[in-house]
Amino acid sequence: MISVVAPVYNEGAGVDRFVRRMAEVLDGEDYELVLVDDGSADDSWSRIAAHAQTDPRVRGLRLSRNFGKEAALLAGLEHADGDATIVLDADLQHPPSVIPEMIRRWRAGAQVVEAVKRNRTGQSLGSRLGARVFNRAFTRMTRVDLVNATDFRLLARPALDALLRMPEHSSFFRGTSSWIGFTRETIEVEIDHREGGASRWTARSLFRLAVNGLTSFTSAPLHLVTLGGLTFAAFSVVLGIQTLVRWMQGHSVAGFPTVILLLLVTGTFVLLGLGVIGEYLARIHEEVRARPRYLVQEVTGLRSVDVPEQWTERAHQR
Ligand code: UDP
Ligand code: MG
């Protein structure tokens, strides 16, 4: 059986479009749709529930509030029962027409099939550039390749089980699903324009995603702080010696602006360094608290083998 997991946040009529489209591309397959309502404020949940009533292949999971896409994905993955699980956005920006090919590759032996972007249409130059810079930096620092990566993936059961063993609180699906390894293949796709509504990401949530992604995969920024500190130390020694020599030669050292500038530069560096350390500290704090990564308020269309214990997440029980 094939599971399709999609996070839904205020997609409204998009839900109907999505369910219809899935029925088309998965025609003839034994499949289930796991739709995770990430605390939508619109009628997304009632639409999901309505589909679950009429179609036994549709299951709905309603989180108790908006936990963010990563948490919604995780909730869906933990509830998926398929031998292969496909993850894609509910807004149909990930072209569902690729799904049959993904399934073919899986049947031919691939454990992970990733869709990679050929283009980035429908995005502003700014966000394209931002994503590019972040992905390259991430790939360099972690050796997990994020350039052109998407969340649109197929994971075979062994790969998904491996992924779900990762206990970290703030997960980063794109990163962790690459980190696990396993035989993988890629398919190039065109990312479509969004049908209906605007992107659900705000600048703030994107920034959080980037910081989470980085801190969960690498401590390189911490080493950068150390490196910056060392550079400053070397610079100070050189400057100190120069000043001393000039003083002994009888020149008084001028340069009030230089002093101000140096203060500003060191101040900035110290604050940035503290910020980086703070991010890691916050992460540790979050992990130590070990709160559940999401909470389920309601389920619909779940199979009877799913007992309430499974509604909360597994990692929490460990
Ligand atoms: N989404 C979610 N929770 C959120 C934000 C987004 O579940 O807090 C879902 C959204 O419904 C969609 C997917 O994540 O299915 C991608 O969101 P969006 O299309 O807004 O992002 P973009 O395509 O701009 O990256
Ligand atoms: Mg989208």
Side-chain angles (χ1 to χ4, degrees):
M1 186 184 62
I2 290 158
S3 298
V4 175
V5 169
V8 176
Y9 182 52
N10 293 343
E11 299 287 353
V15 172
D16 306 331
R17 208 159 37 219
F18 182 76
V19 173
R20 257 195 327 268
R21 192 80 182 90
M22 286 304 120
E24 276 167 33
V25 292
L26 289 165
D27 189 36
E29 298 282 355
D30 178 20
Y31 74 94
E32 64 167 2
L33 285 187
V34 182
L35 298 176
V36 185
D37 176 13
D38 186 18
S40 298
D42 65 357
D43 60 351
S44 295
W45 176 250
S46 56
R47 283 173 194 269
I48 293 172
H51 283 291
Q53 292 260 303
T54 54
D55 187 344
R57 296 171 303 189
V58 178
R59 293 158 57 184
L61 209 61
R62 184 187 199 180
L63 304 191
S64 61
R65 63 171 169 85
N66 181 236
F67 278 88
K69 182 182 177 187
E70 292 290 329
L73 270 184
L74 186 77
L77 290 174
E78 290 195 333
H79 287 80
D81 290 332
D83 304 308
T85 301
I86 296 169
V87 171
L88 81 169
D89 285 358
D91 60 7
L92 292 177
Q93 269 185 300
H94 294 151
S97 51
V98 182
I99 289 179
E101 174 64 16
M102 280 184 154
I103 295 173
R104 232 183 338 269
R105 304 264 185 117
W106 164 60
R107 296 223 162 98
Q111 291 279 305
V112 180
V113 185
E114 310 170 61
V116 294
K117 307 187 186 73
R118 196 178 301 140
N119 66 329
R120 271 176 173 269
T121 52
Q123 281 180 317
S124 68
L125 185 73
S127 68
R128 238 176 10 229
L129 202 73
R132 222 184 137 88
V133 168
F134 173 75
N135 287 339
R136 291 212 182 271
F138 190 95
T139 305
R140 259 190 94 91
M141 282 196 255
T142 63
R143 269 170 253 114
V144 169
D145 190 2
L146 275 199
V147 178
N148 292 329
T150 65
D151 281 344
F152 186 14
R153 282 157 194 230
L154 177 147
L155 297 177
R157 181 44 63 180
L160 178 57
D161 283 342
L163 182 81
L164 292 179
R165 281 180 55 202
M166 295 195 191
E168 56 251 65
H169 185 276
S170 5
S171 59
F172 180 53
F173 180 67
R174 224 171 286 183
T176 46
S177 60
S178 293
W179 182 87
I180 54 170
F182 287 89
T183 328
R184 48 188 56 235
E185 289 194 21
T186 55
I187 302 179
E188 284 206 336
V189 299
E190 308 271 348
I191 300 299
D192 294 336
H193 287 273
R194 200 176 210 292
E195 273 184 53
S199 174
R200 270 37 167 181
W201 291 103
T202 58
R204 192 165 153 258
S205 59
L206 265 182
F207 180 72
R208 283 299 346 146
L209 182 75
V211 171
N212 273 345
L214 268 185
T215 51
S216 64
F217 272 92
T218 172
S219 48
L222 285 174
H223 302 308
L224 277 181
V225 171
T226 317
L227 212 70
L230 284 177
T231 315
F232 261 89
F235 184 60
S236 317
V237 169
V238 172
L239 206 69
I241 292 174
Q242 192 225 20
T243 312
L244 201 69
V245 170
R246 291 191 59 171
W247 177 72
M248 288 195 299
Q249 289 170 343
H251 300 288
S252 71
V253 192
F256 184 63
T258 325
V259 174
I260 299 287
L261 206 68
L262 267 178
L263 269 179
L264 278 179
V265 172
T266 27
T268 311
F269 181 76
V270 168
L271 283 182
L272 269 181
L274 276 179
V276 170
I277 296 168
E279 287 297 339
Y280 281 90
L281 199 68
R283 228 193 123 75
I284 296 171
H285 180 227
E286 214 159 87
E287 299 294 336
V288 165
R289 270 190 313 192
R291 291 194 181 161
R293 289 177 283 188
Y294 59 85
L295 292 171
V296 176
Q297 169 173 334
E298 216 177 313
V299 289
T300 171
L302 273 193
R303 45 200 49 186
S304 52
V305 293
D306 276 314
V307 289
E309 278 87 48
Q310 281 181 307
W311 292 9
T312 56
E313 46 132 17
R314 289 173 205 164
H316 186 52
Q317 293 159 6
R318 276 203 301 277

